[in-house]
Amino acid sequence: MSWSGFRTLLIDSGYLAFYLAWGDGNRRRDAWRDQHAALAPPLRSLVGLFLCGEPVASEEAVALLGPEINARLHAAGVIRTRDGYTESNGFTLVAVRSLLIFCQDGMNPAVYFGRDSLALGLFQGRRDGGRTLDLCAGGGIQAMLAAQFARESHAVEANSTAIALARLHLELNGLAGRVTLHQARVEEFAPEPLGHFDLITFNPPLIPLPPALPLAVVSDGGPDGLDVTRAILRRYAASLAPGGAFEFIGLGLGRDGVPTFVEQFSQDVLGYAVEGFVTLYGREPLTLDAPLYRKLLVQLALCHRLPAEICHAICDYHWERLAANEWCLFFAHLRPGPTQRLQVHDIAQDCCNWFR
């Protein structure tokens, strides 16, 4: 079976329709598990293997996937076999705007895909016939979305596991040859030989964190959540074509309804004036009764083996030092301009943010 045949299997078996019943890019694990046992074969085996983490007899897996795809998924580390059974190696197979990708579960994934990744994919602007560059590319979803319309797409990712999976995703989605992958840290990659780009996208590490409580590199955005964002905006501005733009998402700090993080996208900080807009999609207080903040404290407690109360005290002191009492989910479309003209579109009160 070829990758094309594998895609056909996912469509004809009902896998794609089953998955998309809960929305594009969804991670509704409880719903998948609730429905799994009632499904007819071969859908039951596919959903079990790629969504529910259920093992499948190895002979059945080979017959279902075909020897070639079975071997390729084993080689990529997506599935593994032990004691006569084949199972997922911590990956789920999801669909985002008609593209199929394997995303890794767990607290410290080498290949990250979360709701923020989905948000950037939904908000990303098309550049028909243009040239695009995606940074912090992970498994390549943003570059693949851009490549469907762009003349030329490039993706930069430091992690070798993510690069290998991105290569698999290009083949799986029939986009091999449409995206050029570069393995490098975005802080060290030299974009100048590639010329200029009409769109530069990135989903950076974006969680604001006290220095005393670091998290995995895919999550930790530094004290105010903007460390990597600032570095990219400074380093890659010269790589934008005339009329080109940055598009990215983040989790910025604010106070009493004012998104103070927007001040960071200014001439004083970046060394050049910016135009464009920042749209606020969600706002939560930095208090224990806020779901997103409470989830972060639990994650910090598990990661550092500390009581959640201690993590809360450290974070509370950190927010006080930064004069912040809330954070805002945002999408930004920025471009260098002759003057500082940056608009803020605040729809946080009426919008269901992508972390809910």
Side-chain angles (χ1 to χ4, degrees):
M1 183 186 295
S2 64
W3 286 119
S4 176
F6 180 57
R7 292 197 306 272
T8 300
L9 170 66
L10 296 175
I11 295 169
D12 290 350
S13 67
Y15 180 94
L16 197 57
F18 174 89
Y19 173 79
L20 290 173
W22 289 277
D24 208 17
N26 79 86
R27 306 300 292 275
R28 297 285 297 277
R29 292 182 179 83
D30 289 343
W32 305 336
R33 294 189 182 106
D34 288 346
Q35 300 296 326
H36 168 236
L39 299 174
L43 178 57
R44 182 170 61 235
S45 297
L46 289 168
V47 169
L49 182 60
F50 293 126
L51 292 179
C52 298
E54 296 286 337
V56 174
S58 295
E59 289 184 1
E60 181 186 353
V62 173
L64 181 63
L65 304 176
E68 182 181 352
I69 297 302
N70 183 70
R72 289 294 307 278
L73 293 179
H74 271 91
V78 172
I79 57 177
R80 61 190 175 190
T81 295
R82 55 184 179 182
D83 301 327
Y85 285 87
T86 296
E87 61 185 2
S88 168
N89 194 19
F91 286 87
T92 52
L93 177 58
V94 307
V96 180
R97 292 175 64 180
S98 300
L99 294 173
L100 293 161
I101 62 168
F102 290 98
C103 52
Q104 197 170 24
D105 303 320
M107 289 183 61
N108 189 17
V111 187
Y112 178 77
F113 177 85
R115 294 181 183 179
D116 45 344
S117 311
L118 174 62
L120 182 56
L122 295 175
F123 302 149
Q124 182 188 135
R126 284 171 48 170
R127 290 298 188 275
D128 293 357
R131 303 183 74 246
T132 68
L133 172 67
D134 184 52
L135 305 169
C136 309
I141 181 61
Q142 311 301 339
M144 289 192 293
L145 289 169
Q148 294 178 98
F149 306 100
R151 179 177 83 254
E152 184 181 337
S153 292
H154 293 260
V156 178
E157 169 58 47
N159 186 284
S160 58
T161 302
I163 283 284
L165 198 62
R167 205 166 279 124
L168 183 151
H169 289 156
L170 291 174
E171 296 179 11
L172 171 58
N173 290 286
L175 292 170
R178 298 285 301 276
V179 177
T180 303
L181 301 174
H182 306 269
Q183 185 176 348
R185 291 171 54 86
V186 295
E187 301 90 341
E188 300 168 356
F189 181 69
E192 292 81 7
L194 299 178
H196 293 88
F197 296 93
D198 302 288
L199 177 67
I200 298 178
T201 57
F202 57 97
N203 177 13
L206 51 73
I207 299 179
L209 289 168
L213 295 174
L215 275 180
V217 67
V218 297
S219 305
D220 196 333
D224 65 355
L226 298 175
D227 276 6
V228 177
T229 294
R230 271 191 296 268
I232 289 174
L233 293 175
R234 290 169 182 158
R235 182 175 180 83
Y236 289 86
S239 295
L240 284 172
F246 291 107
E247 291 187 344
F248 58 97
I249 59 174
L251 185 58
L253 297 176
R255 184 171 186 85
D256 299 333
V258 178
T260 53
F261 74 90
V262 176
E263 298 172 2
Q264 299 295 306
F265 306 138
S266 69
Q267 191 166 359
D268 291 340
V269 174
L270 299 178
Y272 60 90
V274 292
E275 299 180 347
F277 63 87
V278 175
T279 301
L280 308 182
Y281 284 95
R283 179 186 285 113
E284 282 193 359
L286 293 165
T287 57
L288 288 174
D289 58 346
L292 183 56
Y293 184 51
R294 190 166 60 246
K295 181 179 178 181
L296 172 64
L297 291 177
V298 170
Q299 188 176 6
L300 290 172
L302 291 172
C303 179
H304 294 280
R305 300 182 180 179
L306 291 171
E309 294 80 6
I310 298 297
C311 294
H312 177 50
I314 294 172
C315 288
D316 232 19
Y317 177 69
H318 180 66
W319 310 137
E320 184 178 348
R321 290 188 63 194
L322 295 180
N325 59 15
E326 62 186 17
W327 53 15
C328 307
L329 297 159
F330 71 88
F331 168 74
H333 173 102
L334 305 184
R335 56 190 180 273
T339 60
Q340 185 75 19
R341 290 189 300 173
L342 186 57
Q343 295 180 324
V344 176
H345 304 147
D346 187 349
I347 59 173
Q349 301 307 316
D350 298 315
C351 182
C352 180
N353 73 63
W354 57 79
F355 281 106
R356 291 181 181 167

